[in-house]
Amino acid sequence: MNWSRRVSCRVKQGAGRGGGQEHERPGPPPTGFSLLPWLLMGMGAFSNLFQGKTPNPWIGAVGLFAFNSLYIYVVFRAFDKRARTARSTRLALLLLFLVTCGLAIGYGGTWLLFLPLFGLATGASLRGPALGRIGVGLGLFAGIVAGLREGWNGINVGYGTFLSTVVTAVILSLSDAVRELRAAREELARRAVEEERLRFSRDLHDLLGHTLSVIVVKSEAARRLAPRDMGAALTQITDIESVGRQALTEIREAVTGYREGGLDTELDRARSALTAAGVEPVVRRSGPPLTPDAEALLGWAVREAVTNAVRHSGARRCEIAVTATAERVRLTVVDDGDGTSAGRAGDPDPADGAGGTGLKGLTERLAAAGGSLRAGPSPRGGFTVTAEVPLDGGETVESGGARLGSSVG
């Protein structure tokens, strides 16, 4: 099982544990078939019609056929959101109301049970804020009609009509809400997998892109130094081993999601990488201490900017400046290169600015934290990367230790 499947399974299992089970398998959504058995309430009227106890049997038969046909049409369309609100459904429900009224008023007795059946169809097709008023009005109307035919016993018909209307609508609305929540949970699980995949690919690119660039540069330096200074070449090889081991640790931390890059560490690595590539590093840092989140973000920015300078710029000098205030911190990486190394196969053009893969991922990181990234050619030549990150306004700094400065030339 790969890592994306593990993330999806953990999200789904976490949701399942909240309901007391690991995984839920919802059945098929309800359809109009669930309301068809209620037509058996009309068997009394059919029996009277079949036994010849109903006057004008042909009118009763046509009415019974019309009621059943319209009822089936309405309840099957009631389970489709678009069909439920269509004009044809509302027209069929109106015709069903007229047929129900004609049968109930004309025949009474068991024919009054078609009023609760009409309430079922109404509750299934009309769901919304106005349902309460519709249910009360329909119940009162059914009670009055049944009272005229059956006296006080008609109250039961009115009450049954009100219950059938409201209860049907509530149950079906809750069923729809449960299914929408399940669908939303599945969508959240899918997005969690996508976000984790994006985080993993971004971290892997930033880690390996910088580390492999340092290894290549130091390997080239070792190859050049080996014929004339074996001691210096061995020093470069030792650095390669150290960088490789550190890269393994960082990749493990990135996979588990707990990597927090330190800015001082990244600045030291930037000095080493630039020096090995024959680029003069100049590092300046001033301002109060940074929050851990700001340190991590700027560490990524230093890593990406220095990697681009080493691989693409052909620079002789690279300046890294970190300037912090009480509200924001700014990182500026400027080189004096002319882009002569940008034509290597597989390397993005530095002139693309923030559109390259690494700078694009870095832009997303900073934007998520309320920061920004600008990258592009400098007016006086070379390439400039500027990253800004907000700081915690409540952070205080002791006097005397608030300002740090270093310069390596």
Coordinates of all heavy atoms in Angstrom, one line a residue, residues 245-332:
R245 N 24.3 12.0 4.1 CA 23.7 11.5 5.3 C 22.6 12.4 5.8 O 21.5 12.0 6.3 CB 24.8 11.3 6.4 CG 25.8 10.2 6.1 CD 26.7 10.0 7.2 NE 27.7 9.0 6.9 CZ 27.5 7.7 7.1 NH1 26.4 7.2 7.5 NH2 28.5 6.8 6.7
Q246 N 22.9 13.7 5.8 CA 21.9 14.7 6.2 C 20.7 14.7 5.3 O 19.5 14.8 5.8 CB 22.5 16.1 6.2 CG 21.6 17.2 6.7 CD 21.2 17.0 8.2 OE1 22.0 16.4 8.9 NE2 20.0 17.5 8.5
A247 N 20.9 14.5 4.0 CA 19.8 14.4 3.1 C 18.9 13.2 3.4 O 17.6 13.3 3.3 CB 20.3 14.3 1.7
L248 N 19.5 12.1 3.8 CA 18.6 10.9 4.2 C 17.8 11.2 5.4 O 16.6 10.9 5.4 CB 19.6 9.7 4.5 CG 20.3 9.1 3.3 CD1 21.2 8.0 3.7 CD2 19.2 8.5 2.3
T249 N 18.3 11.9 6.4 CA 17.6 12.3 7.5 C 16.4 13.2 7.2 O 15.3 13.1 7.7 CB 18.5 12.9 8.6 OG1 19.5 12.0 8.9 CG2 17.7 13.3 9.8
E250 N 16.7 14.2 6.4 CA 15.7 15.2 6.0 C 14.6 14.6 5.2 O 13.4 15.0 5.3 CB 16.4 16.3 5.2 CG 17.3 17.2 6.1 CD 18.0 18.3 5.3 OE1 17.9 18.2 4.0 OE2 18.5 19.2 5.8
I251 N 14.9 13.6 4.3 CA 13.9 13.0 3.5 C 13.0 12.2 4.4 O 11.7 12.2 4.3 CB 14.5 12.1 2.4 CG1 15.2 13.0 1.4 CG2 13.5 11.2 1.8 CD1 15.9 12.2 0.3
R252 N 13.5 11.5 5.4 CA 12.7 10.7 6.3 C 11.8 11.7 7.1 O 10.6 11.4 7.3 CB 13.6 9.9 7.3 CG 14.4 8.8 6.7 CD 15.0 8.0 7.7 NE 16.0 7.0 7.2 CZ 17.3 7.2 7.1 NH1 17.8 8.2 7.7 NH2 18.1 6.3 6.6
E253 N 12.3 12.8 7.5 CA 11.5 13.8 8.2 C 10.4 14.4 7.3 O 9.3 14.7 7.8 CB 12.4 14.9 8.8 CG 13.3 14.4 9.9 CD 14.3 15.5 10.4 OE1 14.3 16.5 9.7 OE2 15.0 15.3 11.4
A254 N 10.8 14.6 6.1 CA 9.8 15.2 5.2 C 8.6 14.2 4.9 O 7.5 14.6 4.8 CB 10.5 15.6 3.8
V255 N 9.0 12.9 4.8 CA 7.9 11.9 4.6 C 7.0 11.9 5.7 O 5.7 11.7 5.6 CB 8.6 10.6 4.3 CG1 7.5 9.5 4.3 CG2 9.3 10.6 3.0
T256 N 7.5 12.0 6.9 CA 6.6 11.9 8.1 C 6.0 13.2 8.4 O 5.1 13.3 9.3 CB 7.4 11.5 9.3 OG1 8.5 12.3 9.5 CG2 7.9 10.0 9.1
G257 N 6.3 14.3 7.7 CA 5.7 15.6 7.9 C 6.2 16.4 9.1 O 5.5 17.4 9.5
Y258 N 7.3 16.1 9.6 CA 7.8 16.8 10.8 C 9.1 17.6 10.6 O 9.7 18.0 11.5 CB 8.1 15.8 12.0 CG 6.8 15.2 12.4 CD1 6.6 13.8 12.2 CD2 5.8 15.9 13.1 CE1 5.4 13.2 12.6 CE2 4.7 15.3 13.5 CZ 4.5 13.9 13.3 OH 3.3 13.3 13.7
R259 N 9.4 17.9 9.3 CA 10.6 18.6 9.1 C 10.5 20.1 9.4 O 9.6 20.7 8.9 CB 11.0 18.4 7.6 CG 12.3 19.1 7.3 CD 12.8 18.9 5.8 NE 14.1 19.4 5.6 CZ 14.4 20.6 5.4 NH1 13.5 21.5 5.3 NH2 15.7 21.0 5.2
E260 N 11.4 20.6 10.1 CA 11.5 22.0 10.4 C 12.9 22.5 10.1 O 13.8 22.3 10.9 CB 11.1 22.3 11.9 CG 9.6 22.0 12.2 CD 9.3 22.4 13.6 OE1 10.2 22.9 14.3 OE2 8.1 22.2 14.0
G261 N 13.1 23.2 9.0 CA 14.4 23.6 8.6 C 14.8 24.9 9.4 O 14.0 25.8 9.5
G262 N 16.0 24.9 9.9 CA 16.5 26.0 10.6 C 17.2 27.0 9.7 O 18.0 26.6 8.8
L263 N 17.0 28.3 9.9 CA 17.6 29.3 9.0 C 19.1 29.3 9.1 O 19.8 29.4 8.1 CB 17.0 30.6 9.3 CG 17.5 31.8 8.4 CD1 17.2 31.5 6.9 CD2 16.8 33.1 8.8
D264 N 19.6 29.2 10.4 CA 21.1 29.3 10.5 C 21.7 28.1 9.8 O 22.8 28.2 9.2 CB 21.4 29.2 12.0 CG 21.1 30.6 12.7 OD1 21.1 31.6 12.0 OD2 20.9 30.6 13.9
T265 N 21.1 26.9 10.0 CA 21.7 25.7 9.3 C 21.7 25.9 7.8 O 22.6 25.6 7.1 CB 20.8 24.5 9.7 OG1 20.8 24.3 11.1 CG2 21.4 23.2 9.0
E266 N 20.6 26.4 7.2 CA 20.5 26.6 5.8 C 21.5 27.7 5.3 O 22.1 27.6 4.2 CB 19.1 27.0 5.4 CG 18.0 26.0 5.6 CD 18.3 24.7 4.8 OE1 19.0 24.8 3.8 OE2 17.7 23.7 5.2
L267 N 21.7 28.7 6.1 CA 22.8 29.7 5.7 C 24.1 29.1 5.7 O 25.0 29.4 4.8 CB 22.7 30.9 6.7 CG 21.4 31.8 6.6 CD1 21.4 32.8 7.7 CD2 21.3 32.4 5.3
D268 N 24.5 28.2 6.7 CA 25.8 27.6 6.7 C 25.9 26.7 5.5 O 27.0 26.6 4.8 CB 25.9 26.7 8.0 CG 26.1 27.6 9.2 OD1 26.4 28.8 9.1 OD2 25.8 27.1 10.3
R269 N 24.9 26.0 5.1 CA 24.9 25.1 3.9 C 25.0 25.9 2.7 O 25.7 25.5 1.7 CB 23.7 24.2 3.9 CG 23.6 23.2 5.0 CD 22.2 22.5 4.9 NE 22.1 21.5 6.0 CZ 20.9 20.9 6.2 NH1 19.9 21.1 5.5 NH2 20.9 20.1 7.2
A270 N 24.4 27.1 2.7 CA 24.5 28.0 1.5 C 25.9 28.4 1.3 O 26.4 28.5 0.2 CB 23.5 29.1 1.7
R271 N 26.6 28.8 2.4 CA 28.0 29.3 2.3 C 28.8 28.1 1.7 O 29.7 28.4 0.8 CB 28.5 29.6 3.7 CG 27.9 30.9 4.3 CD 28.7 31.2 5.6 NE 28.2 32.4 6.3 CZ 27.4 32.3 7.3 NH1 27.0 31.1 7.8 NH2 26.9 33.3 7.9
S272 N 28.6 26.9 2.2 CA 29.4 25.8 1.8 C 29.2 25.5 0.3 O 30.1 25.3 -0.5 CB 29.1 24.6 2.6 OG 29.8 23.4 2.2
A273 N 27.9 25.5 -0.1 CA 27.6 25.2 -1.5 C 28.1 26.3 -2.4 O 28.7 25.9 -3.5 CB 26.1 25.0 -1.7
L274 N 28.0 27.5 -2.1 CA 28.5 28.6 -2.9 C 30.0 28.6 -3.0 O 30.6 28.8 -4.1 CB 28.0 29.9 -2.4 CG 26.5 30.2 -2.5 CD1 26.1 31.5 -1.7 CD2 26.1 30.4 -4.0
T275 N 30.7 28.3 -1.9 CA 32.1 28.3 -1.9 C 32.6 27.2 -2.8 O 33.6 27.3 -3.6 CB 32.7 28.1 -0.5 OG1 32.2 29.2 0.3 CG2 34.2 28.1 -0.5
A276 N 32.0 26.0 -2.7 CA 32.4 24.8 -3.5 C 32.2 25.1 -5.0 O 32.9 24.5 -5.8 CB 31.6 23.6 -3.0
A277 N 31.2 25.9 -5.3 CA 30.9 26.2 -6.7 C 31.7 27.4 -7.2 O 31.6 27.8 -8.4 CB 29.4 26.6 -6.9
G278 N 32.6 27.9 -6.4 CA 33.4 29.0 -6.8 C 32.7 30.4 -6.8 O 33.1 31.3 -7.5
V279 N 31.7 30.5 -6.0 CA 30.9 31.7 -5.9 C 31.2 32.3 -4.5 O 31.2 31.6 -3.5 CB 29.4 31.5 -6.0 CG1 28.6 32.8 -5.9 CG2 29.1 30.8 -7.3
E280 N 31.5 33.6 -4.4 CA 31.8 34.2 -3.2 C 30.5 34.5 -2.4 O 29.7 35.2 -2.9 CB 32.5 35.6 -3.4 CG 32.8 36.3 -2.1 CD 33.4 37.7 -2.4 OE1 33.5 38.1 -3.6 OE2 33.7 38.4 -1.4
P281 N 30.3 33.9 -1.2 CA 29.1 34.1 -0.4 C 29.3 35.3 0.5 O 30.3 35.5 1.2 CB 29.0 32.8 0.4 CG 30.4 32.4 0.6 CD 31.2 32.8 -0.6
V282 N 28.3 36.2 0.6 CA 28.2 37.3 1.5 C 26.9 37.1 2.3 O 25.8 37.3 1.6 CB 28.3 38.6 0.8 CG1 28.2 39.8 1.9 CG2 29.6 38.7 0.1
V283 N 26.9 36.9 3.6 CA 25.7 36.6 4.3 C 25.6 37.7 5.4 O 26.5 37.9 6.2 CB 25.7 35.2 5.0 CG1 24.4 35.0 5.8 CG2 25.9 34.2 3.9
R284 N 24.4 38.4 5.5 CA 24.2 39.4 6.5 C 22.8 39.1 7.1 O 21.8 38.8 6.4 CB 24.1 40.8 5.9 CG 25.5 41.2 5.3 CD 25.4 42.7 4.8 NE 26.6 43.1 4.2 CZ 27.0 43.0 2.9 NH1 26.1 42.4 2.1 NH2 28.1 43.4 2.5
R285 N 22.8 39.2 8.4 CA 21.5 39.0 9.1 C 21.3 40.0 10.2 O 22.3 40.3 11.0 CB 21.5 37.6 9.7 CG 20.2 37.2 10.4 CD 20.1 35.8 10.9 NE 18.8 35.5 11.5 CZ 18.5 34.3 12.0 NH1 19.3 33.3 11.9 NH2 17.3 34.2 12.6
S286 N 20.2 40.6 10.3 CA 19.9 41.6 11.3 C 18.5 41.6 11.8 O 17.6 41.1 11.0 CB 20.2 43.0 10.8 OG 19.4 43.3 9.7
G287 N 18.2 42.1 13.0 CA 16.9 42.1 13.5 C 16.6 41.1 14.6 O 17.6 40.4 15.0
P288 N 15.4 41.1 15.1 CA 15.1 40.2 16.3 C 15.1 38.7 15.8 O 15.0 38.4 14.6 CB 13.8 40.7 16.7 CG 13.1 41.2 15.5 CD 14.3 41.9 14.7
P289 N 15.1 37.8 16.8 CA 15.0 36.4 16.5 C 13.7 36.1 15.8 O 12.7 36.8 16.1 CB 15.1 35.7 17.9 CG 15.8 36.7 18.7 CD 15.4 38.0 18.3
L290 N 13.6 35.1 15.0 CA 12.4 34.7 14.2 C 11.7 33.6 14.9 O 12.2 32.8 15.7 CB 12.8 34.3 12.8 CG 13.8 35.3 12.1 CD1 14.0 34.7 10.7 CD2 13.2 36.7 12.0
T291 N 10.4 33.5 14.5 CA 9.6 32.4 15.0 C 10.0 31.1 14.3 O 10.6 31.2 13.2 CB 8.1 32.7 14.7 OG1 7.9 32.8 13.3 CG2 7.6 34.0 15.4
P292 N 9.7 30.0 14.9 CA 10.1 28.7 14.2 C 9.5 28.6 12.8 O 10.1 28.1 11.9 CB 9.5 27.6 15.2 CG 9.5 28.3 16.5 CD 9.2 29.7 16.2
D293 N 8.2 29.0 12.6 CA 7.6 28.9 11.3 C 8.3 29.8 10.3 O 8.5 29.4 9.1 CB 6.1 29.3 11.4 CG 5.3 28.3 12.1 OD1 5.8 27.2 12.3 OD2 4.2 28.6 12.6
A294 N 8.7 31.0 10.7 CA 9.4 31.9 9.8 C 10.8 31.4 9.5 O 11.2 31.5 8.3 CB 9.5 33.3 10.4
E295 N 11.4 30.8 10.5 CA 12.7 30.2 10.2 C 12.6 29.1 9.2 O 13.5 29.0 8.3 CB 13.3 29.6 11.6 CG 13.7 30.7 12.6 CD 15.2 30.8 12.7 OE1 15.9 29.9 12.1 OE2 15.7 31.7 13.3
A296 N 11.6 28.2 9.3 CA 11.4 27.1 8.4 C 11.2 27.6 7.0 O 11.8 27.1 6.0 CB 10.3 26.2 8.9
L297 N 10.3 28.6 6.9 CA 9.9 29.1 5.5 C 11.1 29.8 4.9 O 11.4 29.6 3.7 CB 8.8 30.1 5.6 CG 7.4 29.5 6.0 CD1 6.4 30.6 6.2 CD2 6.9 28.7 4.8
L298 N 11.9 30.6 5.6 CA 13.0 31.3 5.0 C 14.1 30.2 4.8 O 15.0 30.4 3.8 CB 13.5 32.4 6.0 CG 12.6 33.5 6.1 CD1 13.2 34.6 7.0 CD2 12.2 34.1 4.8
G299 N 14.2 29.2 5.5 CA 15.2 28.1 5.2 C 14.9 27.5 3.9 O 15.8 27.3 3.1
W300 N 13.6 27.3 3.6 CA 13.3 26.8 2.2 C 13.7 27.8 1.2 O 14.2 27.4 0.1 CB 11.8 26.5 2.2 CG 11.3 25.2 2.9 CD1 10.5 25.2 4.0 CD2 11.6 23.9 2.5 NE1 10.3 23.9 4.3 CE2 11.0 23.1 3.5 CE3 12.4 23.3 1.5 CZ2 11.0 21.7 3.4 CZ3 12.4 21.9 1.5 CH2 11.8 21.1 2.4
A301 N 13.4 29.1 1.4 CA 13.7 30.1 0.5 C 15.2 30.2 0.2 O 15.6 30.3 -1.0 CB 13.2 31.4 0.9
V302 N 16.0 30.1 1.2 CA 17.5 30.1 1.1 C 17.9 28.9 0.2 O 18.7 29.1 -0.7 CB 18.2 30.2 2.4 CG1 19.7 29.9 2.3 CG2 18.0 31.5 3.1
R303 N 17.4 27.8 0.6 CA 17.8 26.6 -0.1 C 17.5 26.7 -1.6 O 18.3 26.4 -2.5 CB 17.0 25.4 0.5 CG 17.2 24.1 -0.2 CD 16.3 23.0 0.4 NE 16.8 22.7 1.8 CZ 17.6 21.6 2.0 NH1 18.0 20.9 1.0 NH2 17.9 21.4 3.2
E304 N 16.3 27.1 -2.0 CA 15.9 27.2 -3.4 C 16.7 28.3 -4.1 O 17.1 28.0 -5.2 CB 14.4 27.5 -3.5 CG 13.8 27.5 -4.9 CD 14.0 26.2 -5.6 OE1 14.0 25.1 -4.9 OE2 14.2 26.2 -6.8
A305 N 16.8 29.4 -3.5 CA 17.5 30.5 -4.2 C 19.0 30.2 -4.4 O 19.5 30.5 -5.5 CB 17.4 31.8 -3.4
V306 N 19.6 29.6 -3.4 CA 21.0 29.3 -3.6 C 21.2 28.1 -4.6 O 22.2 28.1 -5.4 CB 21.6 28.9 -2.2 CG1 23.0 28.3 -2.4 CG2 21.7 30.1 -1.3
T307 N 20.3 27.2 -4.6 CA 20.3 26.1 -5.6 C 20.3 26.7 -7.0 O 21.0 26.3 -7.9 CB 19.2 25.1 -5.4 OG1 19.3 24.5 -4.1 CG2 19.2 24.0 -6.4
N308 N 19.4 27.6 -7.2 CA 19.3 28.2 -8.5 C 20.5 29.0 -8.9 O 21.0 29.0 -10.0 CB 18.0 29.2 -8.6 CG 16.7 28.4 -8.6 OD1 16.7 27.2 -9.0 ND2 15.7 29.0 -8.2
A309 N 21.1 29.7 -7.9 CA 22.3 30.5 -8.1 C 23.5 29.6 -8.5 O 24.3 29.9 -9.4 CB 22.7 31.3 -6.9
V310 N 23.6 28.4 -7.8 CA 24.7 27.5 -8.1 C 24.5 26.8 -9.5 O 25.4 26.7 -10.2 CB 24.8 26.4 -7.0 CG1 25.7 25.3 -7.4 CG2 25.2 27.1 -5.7
R311 N 23.3 26.5 -9.8 CA 23.0 25.7 -11.0 C 22.9 26.5 -12.3 O 23.2 26.0 -13.3 CB 21.8 24.8 -10.8 CG 21.9 23.8 -9.7 CD 20.6 23.1 -9.5 NE 20.1 22.4 -10.6 CZ 18.9 21.7 -10.7 NH1 18.1 21.8 -9.7 NH2 18.6 21.1 -11.8
H312 N 22.4 27.7 -12.1 CA 21.9 28.4 -13.3 C 22.7 29.8 -13.6 O 22.7 30.2 -14.7 CB 20.4 28.8 -13.3 CG 19.6 27.6 -13.0 ND1 19.7 26.4 -13.7 CD2 18.6 27.4 -12.0 CE1 18.8 25.6 -13.2 NE2 18.1 26.1 -12.2
S313 N 23.2 30.4 -12.6 CA 23.5 31.8 -12.8 C 24.9 32.0 -13.4 O 25.1 33.0 -14.1 CB 23.5 32.5 -11.4 OG 24.5 32.0 -10.6
G314 N 25.9 31.2 -13.1 CA 27.3 31.5 -13.5 C 27.8 32.7 -12.8 O 28.6 33.4 -13.3
A315 N 27.4 32.9 -11.6 CA 27.7 34.1 -10.8 C 29.1 33.9 -10.2 O 29.6 32.8 -10.0 CB 26.7 34.3 -9.7
R316 N 29.7 35.0 -9.8 CA 31.0 35.1 -9.0 C 30.7 35.5 -7.6 O 31.6 35.3 -6.7 CB 32.0 36.0 -9.7 CG 32.5 35.5 -11.1 CD 33.2 36.6 -11.8 NE 32.4 37.8 -12.1 CZ 32.8 38.8 -12.7 NH1 34.0 38.9 -13.1 NH2 32.0 39.9 -12.9
R317 N 29.6 36.1 -7.3 CA 29.3 36.6 -6.0 C 27.8 36.5 -5.8 O 27.0 36.7 -6.6 CB 29.7 38.1 -5.9 CG 29.4 38.8 -4.6 CD 29.8 40.3 -4.6 NE 29.4 41.0 -3.4 CZ 30.3 41.2 -2.4 NH1 31.5 40.7 -2.4 NH2 29.9 41.9 -1.3
C318 N 27.5 36.1 -4.5 CA 26.1 35.9 -4.2 C 25.9 36.5 -2.8 O 26.6 36.1 -1.8 CB 25.6 34.5 -4.2 SG 23.9 34.2 -3.7
E319 N 24.9 37.5 -2.6 CA 24.7 38.1 -1.4 C 23.3 37.6 -0.8 O 22.3 37.6 -1.5 CB 24.6 39.6 -1.5 CG 26.0 40.2 -2.0 CD 25.9 41.8 -2.1 OE1 24.8 42.3 -1.7 OE2 26.9 42.4 -2.5
I320 N 23.4 37.3 0.5 CA 22.2 36.8 1.2 C 22.0 37.7 2.4 O 22.8 37.8 3.2 CB 22.3 35.3 1.7 CG1 22.7 34.4 0.5 CG2 21.0 34.9 2.3 CD1 23.0 33.0 0.9
A321 N 20.8 38.4 2.4 CA 20.5 39.3 3.5 C 19.2 39.0 4.1 O 18.2 38.8 3.4 CB 20.5 40.8 3.0
V322 N 19.2 38.9 5.5 CA 18.0 38.6 6.2 C 17.8 39.8 7.1 O 18.6 40.1 8.0 CB 18.1 37.3 7.1 CG1 16.8 37.1 7.9 CG2 18.4 36.1 6.2
T323 N 16.7 40.5 6.9 CA 16.3 41.7 7.7 C 15.0 41.6 8.3 O 14.0 41.4 7.6 CB 16.3 43.0 6.8 OG1 17.6 43.1 6.1 CG2 16.1 44.2 7.6
A324 N 14.9 41.6 9.7 CA 13.7 41.4 10.4 C 13.3 42.6 11.2 O 14.1 43.4 11.7 CB 13.9 40.2 11.4
T325 N 12.0 42.9 11.2 CA 11.4 43.9 12.1 C 10.5 43.2 13.1 O 10.4 42.0 13.1 CB 10.7 45.0 11.3 OG1 9.6 44.4 10.6 CG2 11.6 45.6 10.2
A326 N 9.7 44.0 13.8 CA 8.8 43.4 14.8 C 7.6 42.8 14.1 O 6.9 41.9 14.6 CB 8.3 44.5 15.8
E327 N 7.3 43.2 12.8 CA 6.1 42.7 12.1 C 6.5 41.7 11.0 O 5.8 40.7 10.8 CB 5.3 43.8 11.5 CG 4.6 44.7 12.5 CD 5.6 45.7 13.1 OE1 6.7 46.0 12.5 OE2 5.3 46.3 14.2
R328 N 7.6 41.9 10.3 CA 7.9 41.1 9.1 C 9.4 40.9 9.0 O 10.2 41.6 9.6 CB 7.4 41.8 7.8 CG 5.9 42.1 7.7 CD 5.5 42.6 6.4 NE 5.6 41.7 5.3 CZ 4.7 40.8 5.0 NH1 3.6 40.7 5.7 NH2 4.8 40.0 4.0
V329 N 9.7 39.9 8.2 CA 11.1 39.6 8.0 C 11.3 39.4 6.4 O 10.4 38.8 5.8 CB 11.6 38.3 8.7 CG1 10.7 37.1 8.3 CG2 13.1 38.0 8.4
R330 N 12.4 39.9 5.9 CA 12.6 39.9 4.5 C 14.0 39.2 4.2 O 15.0 39.5 4.9 CB 12.7 41.3 3.9 CG 13.1 41.4 2.4 CD 13.1 42.8 1.9 NE 11.8 43.4 1.9 CZ 11.6 44.6 1.4 NH1 12.6 45.3 1.0 NH2 10.4 45.1 1.4
L331 N 13.9 38.3 3.3 CA 15.1 37.6 2.8 C 15.4 38.0 1.4 O 14.5 38.0 0.5 CB 14.9 36.1 2.8 CG 16.0 35.3 2.1 CD1 17.3 35.3 2.8 CD2 15.5 33.8 1.9
T332 N 16.6 38.5 1.1 CA 17.0 38.9 -0.3 C 18.2 38.1 -0.7 O 19.2 38.1 0.1 CB 17.3 40.4 -0.3 OG1 16.1 41.1 0.1 CG2 17.6 40.8 -1.8

